[in-house]
Amino acid sequence: MIISCKNCASKFNVNETFIRESGSRVRCSLCKRVFTIQRPSTTKDKVIQKEIAQIKKEPSPVLKHPCRIISISNQKGGVSKTTTCLNLGASLAMLNWRVLMIDFDVQASLTGALGYQNTRSFYDVIHSDYDFSSCILNTKYARLDLLPSDENMILLDRRYFFDRAGANFFEYMLKDRLADLVGGRLKNKYDYILIDTPPSVGYFVLNSLTAAHFIIIPCQSEYLSARGVGQTVKLINRVKRNTNPQVQARILVTMYDPDCTASKLVVSKLKGSYRGMTFKTVINHDVKIRESQIMKEPVYYYDKHSQAALQYFALAKEIGGKF
Ligand SMILES: Nc1ncnc2c1ncn2[C@@H]1O[C@H](COP(=O)(O)OP(=O)(O)OP(=O)(O)O)[C@@H](O)[C@H]1O
Ligand SMILES: [Mg+2]
């Protein structure tokens, strides 16, 4: 393939099989500038791009689908829970599903990732008697809404999880508030409700696991993260015994590096230990994710040709209508 230097525009012929899947750094032999080159899109990438182009041309149909609640949970921090919630939400919305994302984390990363602050949150639904719908924001993306988080949310964790004041069945507080959207008066408003959760066991995680029909466990493709999956699976089994017997879970491998042996080993161990519980789609490590978060956009809207955008779109296709 022909590449051109980003500094002096000199052209070189490069054998693409030597380019790593995550991109390779090269030095221009004329001006000595170092820059990164990427492999040309694979056939699979091209197929997904074509599908995206077709979807955007279709008018948005009103889809009949019972509202499904998906919790995105892992006790381990920094494994891509928030990133998955935002980008899966945006991709499902592109596929014409109507999506509500709930930021159920005091860190309010999801809220911040979309550029919001100082908004109403679930705390106001519980303590200020605001109607649930009046706290929901319509984002600038079609069919993608957000119930934001704010710092008051910490008070819910303190009051109901640590003090257990005034709520014997505190794990059901979210499920109760979502009942209208799932099977009640507002049951035709959303197809999917995605819940972003914090990296801890407390009020928020137990409420979201209790409310969920389905749980996505993002797992960074590294050893310590894979060990964290075991703890989350144990917690889910406890939730199944106590508050939510029907819930199902699947593991999503994130930040995968196809050129790293450790990454490959972790994935094959996960697949062996949790047979039939992993998604086909794997999300690679992609710098475009970090860049898109700085720009406060889902990665597709930041760079629609990026690997991460295509992979989150593939995940949305794997989930949409099936879970
Ligand atoms: N596929 C990816 N490629 C590159 N960087 C990523 C990817 N996914 C997530 N990241 C980065 O990893 C960091 C952690 O991601 P994120 O905040 O989504 O994790 P989290 O599980 O929600 O963390 P926390 O447990 O603190 O809530 C962020 O800086 C994010 O930009
Ligand atoms: Mg997070």
Side-chain angles (χ1 to χ4, degrees):
M1 85 187 239
I2 305 292
I3 59 158
S4 59
C5 170
K6 299 207 168 139
N7 188 36
C8 66
S10 310
K11 296 211 175 343
F12 301 95
N13 194 357
V14 173
N15 182 345
E16 61 194 55
T17 55
F18 292 121
I19 305 173
R20 292 151 60 105
E21 225 176 287
S22 50
S24 289
R25 306 270 291 160
V26 292
R27 184 191 295 272
C28 172
S29 55
L30 296 174
C31 73
K32 309 295 179 212
R33 170 77 175 266
V34 176
F35 55 97
T36 305
I37 55 171
Q38 304 285 347
R39 274 189 200 168
S41 302
T42 61
T43 322
K44 194 173 147 204
D45 288 349
K46 283 184 186 146
V47 169
I48 296 175
Q49 274 164 0
K50 214 169 141 193
E51 279 169 3
I52 293 175
Q54 276 165 359
I55 283 165
K56 291 188 85 187
K57 280 181 210 139
E58 287 169 10
S60 132
V62 180
L63 295 165
K64 288 276 168 247
H65 184 265
C67 178
R68 304 282 289 164
I69 302 175
I70 300 181
S71 168
I72 300 164
S73 296
N74 187 333
Q75 282 159 255
K76 178 123 179 46
V79 294
S80 214
K81 295 182 287 294
T82 304
T83 304
T84 297
C85 188
L86 175 62
N87 291 294
L88 174 62
S91 303
L92 283 168
M94 276 170 55
L95 281 165
N96 295 321
W97 301 104
R98 295 152 304 172
V99 181
L100 168 66
M101 299 181 295
I102 299 181
D103 189 347
F104 223 44
D105 182 356
V106 181
Q107 299 177 87
S109 313
L110 179 62
T111 306
L114 282 163
Y116 296 107
Q117 55 182 356
N118 302 327
T119 51
R120 287 180 202 157
S121 68
F122 189 69
Y123 175 84
D124 297 290
V125 176
I126 298 288
H127 281 290
S128 309
D129 284 335
Y130 279 112
D131 175 37
F132 194 96
S133 309
S134 73
C135 299
I136 292 174
L137 303 176
N138 303 119
T139 69
K140 63 179 175 182
Y141 308 102
R143 297 176 291 281
L144 189 64
D145 290 354
L146 171 74
L147 176 68
S149 170
D150 75 344
E151 59 205 21
N152 285 335
M153 298 269 282
I154 189 85
L155 301 173
L156 296 175
D157 206 21
R158 296 232 176 99
R159 172 151 188 204
Y160 297 109
F161 186 69
F162 291 110
D163 299 346
R164 301 282 173 98
N168 285 331
F169 298 104
F170 74 91
E171 298 102 319
Y172 294 93
M173 289 172 90
L174 177 63
K175 187 175 177 165
D176 288 350
R177 298 319 185 280
L178 293 179
D180 253 1
L181 291 170
V182 174
R185 197 167 50 89
L186 300 172
K187 69 174 181 211
N188 288 323
K189 198 161 170 32
Y190 296 109
D191 298 297
Y192 285 102
I193 298 178
L194 305 184
I195 311 172
D196 181 30
T197 61
S200 58
V201 182
Y203 174 86
F204 298 107
V205 168
L206 292 174
N207 262 281
S208 90
L209 298 183
T210 299
H213 297 109
F214 185 72
I215 299 162
I216 297 176
I217 312 171
C219 173
Q220 191 178 350
S221 55
E222 52 139 76
Y223 175 66
L224 290 177
S225 198
R227 276 191 59 193
V229 170
Q231 293 167 338
T232 305
V233 169
K234 272 191 198 149
L235 177 68
I236 292 171
N237 287 338
R238 262 190 26 218
V239 167
K240 274 186 173 182
R241 285 195 299 275
N242 293 319
T243 56
N244 191 0
Q246 307 294 339
V247 71
Q248 290 176 25
R250 284 240 180 139
I251 299 159
L252 173 70
V253 174
T254 60
M255 293 188 244
Y256 179 69
D257 180 352
D259 298 310
C260 166
T261 310
S263 245
K264 288 182 193 158
L265 284 175
V266 166
V267 172
S268 75
K269 270 199 165 273
L270 275 175
K271 288 195 168 152
S273 310
Y274 302 100
R275 223 165 269 279
M277 256 184 84
T278 49
F279 282 107
K280 248 181 23 209
T281 307
V282 164
I283 311 293
N284 281 13
H285 190 278
D286 186 345
V287 286
K288 297 291 175 190
I289 290 274
R290 285 169 197 259
E291 293 170 14
S292 67
Q293 284 167 348
I294 295 168
M295 301 312 288
K296 305 205 180 307
E297 285 177 327
V299 68
Y300 175 83
Y301 292 92
Y302 175 69
D303 182 348
K304 64 181 174 186
H305 299 299
S306 63
Q307 183 116 67
L310 300 180
Q311 288 171 333
Y312 273 112
F313 187 80
L315 179 67
K317 282 194 66 189
E318 201 176 335
I319 288 175
K322 288 155 209 129
F323 292 99

